[in-house]
Amino acid sequence: MRTLAALAVLLTACATTTPTATTATTTTTLTGPAAADPAVVRTDAGAVRGSVAGGHRLFQGIRYATAGRWEPPAPPPAWRGVLDATRPGAMCPQVGSPYAPVRSENEDCLFLNVTTPAKPGTRRPVMVWLHGDGALGAGHYSDARRLAARGVVVVTINYRLGVFGGFGHPGLRDGGTYGLQDQTEALRWVRRNAAAFGGDPGNVTVFGVSYGASAIGALLTSPAAGGLFHRAIMQSGETLMDMPAGSMVPGLEALPSFMWRSRAEVSALGRAYAGQLGCADLACLRALPVEKILEVPQIMNAFQTYAYGNRVLPESPAEALRKGRFHRVPVLAGATRDEHRLFVAMNYDIQGKTPNYPKLVREAFGRKAPDILRKYPINRYKSPSIAWATVLTDRMWARATHEQNTLLAQHVPVYGYEFADRDAPMFLPLETGFDWGAYHAGDLPYLFEEKDTPLAPAQRALSDRMIGYWANFARAGDPNGKGLPGWPRAGSGTLALEPGKIRVIDYAARHRLGFWK
């Protein structure tokens, strides 16, 4: 229990602004000319009124499901009249973090947002975004206007987080999977309603970053998600990643998986936390106020995993991918060049500490440490932090990403990338002189509009091309298109995305994967 509870893993994907989120409940009557209003769309549960401006239509706070605490989601009840969809719905319960000071105690939070081109159209590709982190965030933080401008319908969703999304207990049949069930239910909503927003329910791409990308690894292997999406984009996912000792949290021992826990492990962890909350059974736990649960330190982070060995995930997604048991859809997947610099900086530099690089390598790799220290000598890097981050980027992120893409490519078309802009602007409120490089989730402002994170002209040009690649892939399962540098399939190279220098690289050589093999 101590090991799992210590997983205070800081996976970024939440914008720094915190607009007020409210549950949209206002309705008006739909009559006469209003039926032809471009701001009004009729879903299978009722009509919604969004906003039209700047070449796009935006619908926010649409309820896609309802769910009791640690219960499966169900389609929402129908309503009469026109629901106001001009404001975000409530965020799922969360306590925020130093880099995202947000908080919510509202369990009525299963809402989504839809951004479409303002110009009428039909059978447009649909992209469903899963935000990262797993303990904080919400769909409305991702401004999808630039993606929608490429003729795409973009859906961003809320899903249950932390202890409310990944909690397990002996009395729960499918415990540890509620956030994943929410994502699957949102995809069912898309299948029923995409056409009403001009989208094609037969051409749905699910895409996500970090925790959201790992959730896609689960959706690829979950029987319930079969047929609900037709392409997948995984940005900095951890589906196949393990954790050497001290890699994510100083002093934490090695773990064989970053994302997946057996049903028995999660149930035992849940029982232990139930004791801390003074409860002996589920009835007691379900009666607790949200704020009481959130008072327990680390409880949100302790359940930033999904459980397997149940109906939702019969086996670990990592093992399922290795055995070729996944839904056959084209995949676009990659990572950033300097993934682990963010985590090292947050553990050390931001706190005014300097890591003991040789000691950390010895603790993580034991008898192999001398070889690693020779391969990554400290005098080659700007600081001990950069040296340690480089080791972990190669050993954890690059190795897992390369294995993932190689396995998937044995069965489906795969396009691998590396986001390599080492001058990417930091969109989190982290002030330090640290050299972030192409940090974890640093590619987000290149896909979603970030008004507080301006891009230089060359970076804006890269952003335009990335959005073009992503939209092309959603449209046809192939990112290539007119005016874009060629992108080969995995096995023939990885596309490095860098301002003014998009090119094919040898990813394995860049990250010394021959050494790590």
Side-chain angles (χ1 to χ4, degrees):
M1 184 273 194
R2 182 184 69 82
T3 296
L4 297 181
L7 284 177
V9 180
L10 303 174
L11 303 181
T12 66
C14 207
T16 59
T17 54
T18 56
T20 300
T22 57
T23 304
T25 57
T26 304
T27 60
T28 57
T29 302
L30 180 65
T31 59
D37 186 341
V40 176
V41 169
R42 189 180 295 277
T43 74
D44 65 331
V48 295
R49 181 185 297 277
S51 56
V52 181
H56 71 279
R57 296 187 297 162
L58 175 61
F59 303 84
Q60 300 184 89
I62 302 175
R63 187 188 301 277
Y64 70 85
T66 61
R69 185 180 295 174
W70 305 315
E71 293 179 353
W79 60 83
R80 295 182 178 180
V82 184
L83 192 74
D84 174 45
T86 61
R87 295 175 295 172
M91 300 186 299
C92 289
Q94 54 196 278
V95 295
S97 75
Y99 59 81
V102 295
R103 185 178 179 91
S104 174
E105 297 174 358
N106 195 334
E107 291 186 80
D108 182 17
C109 62
L110 299 184
F111 298 97
L112 55 74
N113 317 285
V114 183
T115 308
T116 78
K119 184 178 179 181
T122 60
R123 303 193 69 80
R124 289 176 167 135
V126 181
M127 300 183 74
V128 179
W129 173 249
L130 306 183
H131 68 78
D133 197 296
L136 60 85
H140 68 272
Y141 286 119
S142 299
D143 185 339
R145 286 176 294 174
R146 293 182 64 205
L147 269 170
R150 300 300 180 102
V152 177
V153 175
V154 184
V155 180
T156 67
I157 74 169
N158 296 358
Y159 57 90
R160 282 173 284 181
L161 303 165
V163 66
F164 298 94
F167 183 75
H169 190 275
L172 294 171
R173 183 175 182 182
D174 294 315
T177 68
Y178 298 106
L180 187 64
Q181 291 185 58
D182 295 343
Q183 296 157 12
T184 304
E185 191 63 33
L187 289 170
R188 293 192 185 100
W189 184 95
V190 168
R191 183 172 60 184
R192 298 193 307 269
N193 292 287
F197 294 88
D200 181 358
N203 186 8
V204 175
T205 296
V206 61
F207 71 131
V209 68
S210 190
Y211 186 92
S214 298
I216 294 171
L219 291 171
L220 281 169
T221 65
S222 173
L228 294 178
F229 62 98
H230 313 92
R231 324 198 191 290
I233 299 176
M234 305 163 76
Q235 302 170 214
S236 299
E238 306 96 356
T239 303
L240 297 181
M241 200 165 81
D242 65 338
M243 292 195 299
S247 57
M248 294 300 296
V249 179
L252 179 66
E253 57 261 41
L255 290 173
S257 176
F258 188 89
M259 273 294 298
W260 321 118
R261 301 284 179 267
S262 71
R263 177 183 177 182
E265 286 180 283
V266 175
S267 293
L269 183 64
R271 188 166 51 229
Y273 271 103
Q276 290 190 36
L277 288 164
C279 286
D281 55 35
L282 280 173
C284 172
L285 288 167
R286 285 188 166 128
L288 291 177
V290 171
E291 57 268 27
K292 178 70 174 178
I293 296 174
L294 296 181
E295 286 176 359
V296 177
Q298 302 300 333
I299 196 168
M300 290 295 284
N301 292 319
F303 293 96
Q304 276 182 299
T305 59
Y306 287 137
Y308 63 87
N310 48 62
R311 292 177 301 174
V312 179
L313 284 179
E315 62 183 323
S316 162
E319 291 308 305
L321 288 188
R322 289 186 174 115
K323 295 173 182 175
R325 293 200 283 263
F326 63 91
H327 306 308
R328 299 296 194 253
V329 301
V331 174
L332 188 156
T336 69
R337 185 169 182 176
D338 304 299
E339 287 279 2
H340 216 73
R341 289 193 190 184
L342 176 67
F343 304 101
V344 171
M346 297 186 80
N347 282 327
Y348 296 100
D349 297 70
I350 288 178
Q351 300 179 42
K353 302 176 183 178
T354 300
N356 186 329
Y357 173 58
K359 182 173 183 287
L360 289 169
V361 172
R362 288 193 297 270
E363 290 175 348
F365 301 107
R367 61 183 178 81
K368 299 178 181 179
D371 293 336
I372 295 168
L373 291 170
R374 282 192 293 269
K375 192 71 173 180
Y376 298 80
I378 193 169
N379 59 10
R380 182 184 296 170
Y381 303 98
K382 292 181 180 179
S383 69
S385 290
I386 298 297
W388 181 227
T390 303
V391 167
L392 295 178
T393 292
D394 292 355
R395 165 59 178 79
M396 293 172 62
W397 299 90
R399 193 173 83 155
T401 299
H402 187 263
E403 181 188 7
Q404 167 194 276
N405 288 1
T406 301
L407 289 168
L408 292 168
Q410 295 175 11
H411 305 279
V412 298
V414 175
Y415 296 88
Y417 77 91
E418 175 166 273
F419 177 76
D421 184 2
R422 285 183 149 167
D423 294 315
M426 172 52 69
F427 68 90
L428 297 170
L430 302 174
E431 296 182 6
T432 177
F434 189 77
D435 181 1
W436 299 106
Y439 62 96
H440 180 71
D443 48 352
L444 286 185
Y446 294 70
L447 295 171
F448 296 101
E449 193 73 31
E450 291 279 356
K451 63 181 180 180
D452 297 324
T453 311
L455 300 176
Q459 292 172 326
R460 188 75 173 188
L462 173 62
S463 170
D464 289 339
R465 289 187 164 184
M466 288 175 61
I467 289 172
Y469 282 131
W470 266 236
N472 287 344
F473 181 79
R475 186 170 290 107
D478 185 333
N480 289 289
K482 184 177 180 181
L484 293 172
W487 190 334
R489 287 191 183 184
S492 298
T494 295
L495 196 70
L497 300 168
E498 190 173 353
K501 200 162 50 176
I502 296 177
R503 68 196 188 284
V504 178
I505 62 167
D506 184 336
Y507 185 79
R510 171 173 280 187
H511 291 282
R512 305 171 179 88
L513 298 188
F515 170 79
W516 289 107
K517 186 176 181 180

